[in-house]
Amino acid sequence: MIRNIILDFDGTLGDTTAVIIRTIQATIVELGLPTRTDNECAAVIGLRLVETPPVLFPECNVDVDLYAATYRRLFHIFNTEDAVTLYPNVLETLEELKKRGIVLTIASSRSRSSLVEYVERLGLSSLISLVVGADDVCNGKPDPEAVIMTLGKFGFIPEEAIVVGDTEYDIRMGINAGTKTCAVTYGNGTRESLAEADWLIDDFSSLLSLTD
C-alpha cells in the first residue's frame, strides 16, 4: 500500500522552466561563460546549483560558489509573482491524495526557503507535510539521502513510497532508495531519459490510479 508520495517541485508541480532558463542564460552572460542553448540549460534542471557548472560547462573551471550566488541574485529579480504556476490538475490531484490519507512531501534541489515560498504562494501549505530542500541534505539527487530522510521522518519503508519527478535525477534517487518511481513527461526530461521509471504519466492526475 502506498502511504507516501515524494514529489519533485520544478517541472513536476510547478512550471518553473522558463524562469530557470532565463536565469541560467543571464548568469552565463554575466559571468562570461560559453553560450548554451535553452535545451542544454533545461537539461541541468534538477541538479543543485553548485553541481550545475561541471555538467553544463565541462570544459571550464567555473567557480561554483560564484555561479550559485550569481544565479540566486538574478533569480530573485526574475521570480515575479506570476512567473510560476502549477501544472494542470496538480492542486486537485494533491487534494484528493490527501483525502485518501497519503502523506505528501517534497524533495527538491531548490533551496528550502525558495521551496517554502512557492508552497505558500501556490496554495499548497495545507497539503504538503514535509519539504526537503538542497540545503537540508549533504548529498543531492540522485543520491537517496532526501528520500531516506523523508521515510525516516514518518516511519515508512521504501515499498510504501513513490518518488515522482520529471528528470532522470529524480528517478535515480527513488531507485537508489528502493522506492517505486513515477516520471511525468511534461517537465524537463525526455521519455528516453525517464525510461527507468516504474510508470510514465502524461498528466499529473494519473497519480490517482496508482494509489487506488
Side-chain angles (χ1 to χ4, degrees):
M1 184 177 69
I2 298 302
R3 302 175 65 193
N4 179 206
I5 296 181
I6 302 171
L7 300 149
D8 173 53
F9 182 81
D10 297 285
T12 302
L13 300 179
D15 187 358
T16 57
T17 301
V19 68
I20 290 176
I21 290 176
R22 184 181 182 189
T23 306
I24 293 176
Q25 293 288 21
T27 301
I28 288 172
V29 171
E30 181 163 323
L31 297 181
L33 296 169
T35 58
R36 293 294 184 261
T37 66
D38 286 352
N39 285 339
E40 288 172 322
C41 294
V44 298
I45 296 176
L47 292 173
R48 295 191 296 181
L49 288 178
V50 293
E51 297 166 339
T52 298
V55 177
L56 195 54
F57 312 103
E59 75 278 25
C60 301
N61 183 22
V62 180
D63 183 329
V64 297
D65 292 323
L66 176 60
Y67 176 91
T70 304
Y71 177 97
R72 290 190 185 100
R73 174 171 52 79
L74 293 171
F75 185 85
H76 182 71
I77 296 171
F78 300 139
N79 183 31
T80 57
E81 192 69 27
D82 59 349
V84 174
T85 59
L86 293 174
Y87 283 105
N89 300 318
V90 164
L91 182 60
E92 300 87 343
T93 301
L94 293 180
E95 289 174 339
E96 176 59 28
L97 291 169
K98 183 81 169 182
K99 288 179 184 177
R100 296 181 183 185
I102 294 173
V103 175
L104 304 171
T105 65
I106 293 176
S108 172
S109 297
R110 179 176 293 282
S111 70
R112 161 175 279 278
S113 61
S114 179
L115 276 175
V116 170
E117 177 187 345
Y118 277 133
V119 167
E120 293 176 351
R121 183 192 299 182
L122 297 171
L124 303 179
S125 298
S126 64
L127 303 173
I128 302 299
S129 299
L130 178 69
V131 168
V132 179
D135 38 351
D136 293 317
V137 296
C138 296
N139 303 293
K141 301 175 184 181
D143 189 276
E145 182 179 353
V147 175
I148 293 169
M149 177 186 297
T150 301
L151 297 176
K153 173 78 173 178
F154 297 100
F156 297 141
I157 59 174
E159 292 79 7
E160 295 175 315
I162 303 176
V163 169
V164 181
D166 69 308
T167 72
E168 60 188 290
Y169 309 114
D170 303 309
I171 303 309
R172 290 303 310 172
M173 176 179 68
I175 291 171
N176 290 337
T179 71
K180 293 292 186 180
T181 57
C182 176
V184 299
T185 60
Y186 53 76
N188 298 296
T190 63
R191 298 187 80 93
E192 292 74 21
S193 68
L194 300 170
E196 288 186 285
D198 293 298
W199 300 285
L200 270 72
I201 59 174
D202 300 321
D203 189 292
F204 193 80
S205 63
S206 297
L207 269 180
L208 296 174
S209 65
L210 304 183
T211 56
D212 287 338

